[in-house]
Structure formats: C-alpha cells, structure tokens
Amino acid sequence: MSITVGKVIRCKAAVAWEAGKPLVIEEVEVAPPQAMEVRLKILITALCHTDVYFWEAKGQTPVFPRIFGHEAAGIVESIGEGVTELKPGDHVLPVFTGECKDCQHCKSEESNMCDLLRINTDRGVMLNDGKSRFSINGKPIYHFVGTSTFSEYTVVHVGCVAKINPAAPLDKVCILSCGISTGLGATLNVAKPPKGSSVAIFGLGAVGLAAAEGARIAGASRIIGVDLNPKRFPQAKKFGVTDFVNPKDYDKPVQEVLAEMTGGGVDRSIECTGNINAMISAFECVHDGWGVAVVVGVPNKDDAFKTHPMNFLSERTLKGTFFGNYKPRTDLPIVVEMYMKKELELEKFITHEVGLSEINKSFEYMLRGESLRCIIRMDA
C-alpha cells in the first residue's frame, strides 16, 4: 500500500485565480478520495479549447479560483469506499462526463448522457459532499468538469474514469478524453458513412479533423473540408481530406456549392464549428433520400435553427451528438485499442509539447491558432 493512501497529498498545480489571467503554479493540498471517488496521479494532460473558453469566462457563471484541465491520462493512486472496478496502479483516462451504469441513460444502448455524471461546467465541487478536494492554506480551490487535470494529483468520481490498456502510451491516448473522441464518434457512431461515400466536414479544428479521421477509417472515398481559414487546408490532408471549400470564395450558399460538386449533395456531413449558419448549411448540403447531417458544435444560447420542412420530407436526416455517443467507461478502452491496432492515428493531432511550468505557453499556442493539441508533461 502506498504511504500516501488516506493522507492529504501536497503537489504542484496550475491554478487559475482570475478569468483570463495567466495560470500560477502553486502547491496545493489534495484530500483523499471519499466514497465512489478515485485519486489519480496525472502524468500527462492536454489543453482543449473548452478549457480556454471557461478560463476566459465567456457565457457562463465564472467559478474561481479553479484548476482547469480535462484531457489527461494517469495512474490510480488510491480509491475511496465502494470502488470495486479500479485499484491502485491502474492506467486510466479521466473524462469530463461520466457513466454511472445505473441510470436510464446508462442502461440504454442509445445514450451516453448519464443522469448523475453528465457534464456540469458550473459545479466546482464533488457530488459526495458538495466540497472541493483541493485547497491552499485551508481555502478551497474549485474543480472543473469533475476532472481538474492541471494538477499532479486530482480526485474524480469513479464513474468518470476509464480503465485502459497499461501498454498504451499515455502521452498519445490522453487526447482521447474529449475532443478527438467527440469528432471521431460523431462520424463512426452517428453519421456512419458507408464505404465509398462522400463526407463533408464543417470546421477543420481538432474536432473536425477527428471527424475526418473517422471518415478515413470508415472508407469514405471523398472527404470535403469546409473552412473559412485556408491555412488549415494543407494540414487537413494528413487526415484524409481530399477536397477543400472556402465559403468566402463563392457568391452562392456553400450548400449549393457542395451539391454541385457531388451530383446532388454529400452522403454525410458533420458540423464542428458551433456556428448556426454552418449547421444549417451542413444539413442542407446532404443528398435527398439518404443524406445524414450530424451537429457537433455548441451554438450560442439565442441561436435558432431555420430550414424549410421540405428538407426533412425529402428524406434528409439531422442528428446531434454528445461526446461522439461514446460511453466513457465502456467505450473509451475500445477506442484506445483502435490506436494500439494502428487503425486510429493520434500522433498527427499533437502539435506542441510543454512542461507544467510552461503551461501558459499552451494557451498562447491555442489562442494564436497554432496548435491542435498541446500536451503538458506534469513531471517537466
């Protein structure tokens, strides 16, 4: 048994004291896990756009001071009462959403939206007792989406921890905790493009490129990338994108451009921007009779989706997805195996690497649009 079991651990963490201000490396105290909780030693984490969005405090109730981070990989240090599926030493991925395995969503084969552990961006405390497991000099430092992986140690609900193959390289599979799985699953689990089909991807950021990777794996013959930034096009070729469309280059709606390119519309489309007009275009660009459009991006709260009902009556299908329809504990270990079998390529998503002491550089890279994923080594 580890000498730290049942004791408070002091470790380094990158703390966000205020919205939009650089993170500060602090010594924090991490309490032991309570019932149905697990304390993890985080070895690798990565920066996702969602971290940046909430660090900037855009559009939600700001919660500070806070430890961000939700794409990561680590090892179980200790477990709380009632935890039976994990043991110290297990290799795991903490996930921002969970799978309690008891609610109606978890028992359904069609849903991954757990009633108990579904993402909650405003909650900065643990479910068990409504308190934080992080503190500095007795004052609480708040959690972020139940993970807070910008800390050398963190405490997570057991339902938000996926046990994975111990042979998997943690500095690669860590990025499966959020955006990459979201885009990949949107294609493979929801759009389900037949082999030889045409697929349009709206938005060529990390999530969009993961959707393109899914289309490549599925055997799509034509993958059309749609983006307003032509600088993204050369990189997208690595992910199987065969054609590129910049809506700015045309004096007609992009859905008409795509219909002309493909003889009536694409077979599948995946929208990864959060822009309401892109969502409408993604739906209206699919072929009548069998076309399926999948919405991945999160719109503004006041947006309204407007299209003519005949687009539905013409047998086009519109779907939405959350985390690529993956159940975290059940499905993420399978996605890791896809990487281990060389079916899924992850290296091309990782564009930068820094140590924890340089974590603010990762924010700079993303804000400048230079990185897909910057991984952060906790021991560097």
Side-chain angles (χ1 to χ4, degrees), residues 96-113:
F96 67 94
T97 189
E99 183 185 353
C100 73
K101 297 192 176 183
D102 291 323
C103 71
Q104 60 180 348
H105 283 279
C106 286
K107 289 180 178 178
S108 167
E109 293 182 1
E110 299 183 76
S111 176
N112 65 342
M113 301 188 73

Side-chain angles (χ1 to χ4, degrees), residues 139-210:
K139 295 182 179 180
I141 307 297
Y142 295 106
H143 296 250
F144 177 62
V145 295
T147 51
S148 293
T149 61
F150 292 168
S151 173
E152 291 177 320
Y153 287 86
T154 189
V155 177
V156 182
H157 191 285
V158 66
C160 298
V161 180
K163 180 180 176 180
I164 63 168
N165 184 343
L170 298 183
D171 59 352
K172 304 296 187 297
V173 299
C174 66
I175 64 173
L176 292 173
S177 290
C178 182
I180 308 309
S181 294
T182 296
L184 183 74
T187 302
L188 294 179
N189 299 336
V190 188
K192 298 180 180 177
K195 188 172 183 178
S197 59
S198 58
V199 180
I201 310 290
F202 285 73
L204 297 175
V207 175
L209 292 176

